[in-house]
Amino acid sequence: MKYLFSSWQAWALLSAAFAALTAIFAKIGIENVNSDFATFIRTIVILLAIGLMLLLTGNWQPPASVSGKSWLFLVLSGLATGASWLCYFRALKMGNAAQVAPVDKLSVVLVAMSAVFFLGEKLSPAHWLGVCMVGGGAVLLALKI
C-alpha cells in the first residue's frame, strides 16, 4: 500500500478519478448558476481545502522561501488554471459533460507537444501513438454523430 501512494501513476489515476467527479458534480451543480459564479464558488472551496491540508500536514512554507522564478511560473500557472476553469464551466453549462470533458483532455496532446518542444522531453514512437490516440478519441467524442 505504501508503494502505491509513492508512485506518480497512482496519483495520476486519482487525479483522473477526481477530475471525472468534478465534471459530473459541476454539470449537476451549474444547472441554475452563472458559470463564472460557479467557478468562484469552486475556487473558494479549493482554497479552503488546500489551506486546511497544509495546516494538517505541516507543509506550509514561508512565501519568502520561494524563488522569484518559481513565483513567476506559479502565478502564470494559476492564471492559466483560472482561465481553464472559467472556460471549462462555460463549456459544461452549454454542452454535454460526456463531450466537454474529452475535449478538455486535448490538454494531454498540448502538454506532450509543449514538453517536447519547450522542455526538451523525449517521447518514444509508442508514446506519440498514444498522444495521437488521445487526440483522435477526443475529436471523435466531440462530434455529434
Side-chain angles (χ1 to χ4, degrees):
M1 186 73 156
K2 182 180 177 186
Y3 172 75
L4 177 66
F5 290 105
S6 65
S7 78
W8 68 263
Q9 293 94 337
W11 288 106
L13 286 171
L14 285 169
S15 174
F18 286 121
L21 289 174
T22 297
I24 300 304
F25 293 159
K27 183 63 179 175
I28 296 167
I30 203 168
E31 186 176 334
N32 295 312
V33 180
N34 173 280
S35 63
D36 294 342
F37 190 72
T39 303
F40 177 71
I41 293 170
R42 176 186 181 193
T43 303
I44 291 171
V45 170
I46 292 167
L47 181 66
L48 293 173
I50 293 176
L52 180 63
M53 184 182 71
L54 285 171
L55 181 69
L56 293 175
T57 61
N59 284 329
W60 176 263
Q61 70 182 74
S65 70
V66 178
S67 73
K69 178 182 176 183
S70 289
W71 269 108
L72 172 66
F73 283 97
L74 290 172
V75 167
L76 290 172
S77 175
L79 291 171
T81 297
S84 172
W85 290 354
L86 287 168
C87 295
Y88 185 73
F89 268 55
R90 181 106 13 114
L92 273 178
K93 182 83 173 176
M94 299 167 64
N96 295 325
Q99 292 177 304
V100 170
V103 171
D104 176 66
K105 296 308 172 226
L106 283 173
S107 62
V108 171
V109 176
L110 298 174
V111 167
M113 291 174 23
S114 297
V116 168
F117 296 119
F118 298 116
L119 301 178
E121 295 182 9
K122 305 284 186 224
L123 295 180
S124 71
H127 289 142
W128 277 114
L129 178 62
V131 169
C132 291
M133 290 172 71
V134 168
V139 170
L140 285 174
L141 285 165
L143 297 174
K144 291 194 175 195
I145 301 175

